Amino acid sequence: MKRNILKKWMSCLLAVSTLFALTACGSSNAVSQTPSPSQSQKTTAPESSEAADTADTTTSQPGETVQPTTDESGGVTLVVYYSATGNTESVANAIAAATGGDLFELEPAEPYTDADLNWTDDNSRVSVEHNNSDDRVVELTASTVDNWDSYDTVYIGYPIWWGIAAWPVDTFVKANDFTGKTVIPFCTAASSGLGESGELLEELAGSGEWLEGQRFRSGASESDVTDWINGPQINQ
Ligand SMILES: Cc1cc2nc3c(=O)[nH]c(=O)nc-3n(C[C@H](O)[C@H](O)[C@H](O)COP(=O)(O)O)c2cc1C
């Protein structure tokens, strides 16, 4: 009788320990198959455009990759220009159309009036500024561009004033870091060439890979511009 009771106890103990071993084994499999929340966040790319869109408005955590924001066309070309009377603006528009680039107009905080631009008047604003380089510091309404880092090619356009780039452009060039960018100056002028205007801007910038650039006549046509954009200087 005692032996039977002992046998029953032994088989009961065996059954309980087998059940315990099986349960422990099952739970260890579950751990290895299901990633923890932190693992899945590290390896999964944002799935919706909504997630990507919010990337630039959220604060990034150390080690987290924030998607660079691109412009609507996804382009990487920017056409920056200053134009007092519209000639350089026409060329800038044609460059933007031909390259799919974005436009950024430089606007002096105090715009130049016709009287200001009268270079035949020794007392006009441009004449005074021309005669004293300290007076050529022109404040702009904006001198930095959204998503600047996403552009790899920057065209910079200006009218020629007394043989050099119209100085409102200087403010933009000094305010930005062109490292890693190809910079292509262009100008419009009544009769002068590009001269040293591009080199002088390159010196002011102190960074960027500056190409020689191009001069257009004041009334340049769209085909003048597209011929240049499709030519060897731009596509070397
Ligand atoms: C103050 C001033 C200085 C200028 N100096 C020159 C010059 O040295 N050489 C030249 O060929 N044209 C000169 N021009 C003419 C302009 O460069 C030309 O009309 C240009 O296309 C104007 O461009 P915008 O319409 O974009 O301002 C000058 C114009 C102004 C207002």
Side-chain angles (χ1 to χ4, degrees), residues 44-103:
T44 309
E47 283 170 12
S48 67
S49 59
E50 196 185 328
D53 287 345
T54 56
D56 61 340
T57 56
T58 53
T59 308
S60 64
Q61 300 299 314
E64 188 181 322
T65 305
V66 176
Q67 296 291 323
T69 311
T70 54
D71 55 79
E72 278 178 11
S73 66
V76 291
T77 295
L78 180 68
V79 184
V80 180
Y81 69 95
Y82 169 65
S83 181
T85 56
N87 298 328
T88 311
E89 182 170 57
S90 296
V91 173
N93 287 339
I95 294 172
T99 60
D102 294 334
L103 282 162

Side-chain angles (χ1 to χ4, degrees), residues 83-88 117 119 126 159-163 188-192 218:
S83 181
T85 56
N87 298 328
T88 311
L117 293 168
W119 53 273
V126 274
I160 292 290
W161 285 354
W162 282 284
T188 65
S191 58
S192 301
S218 294

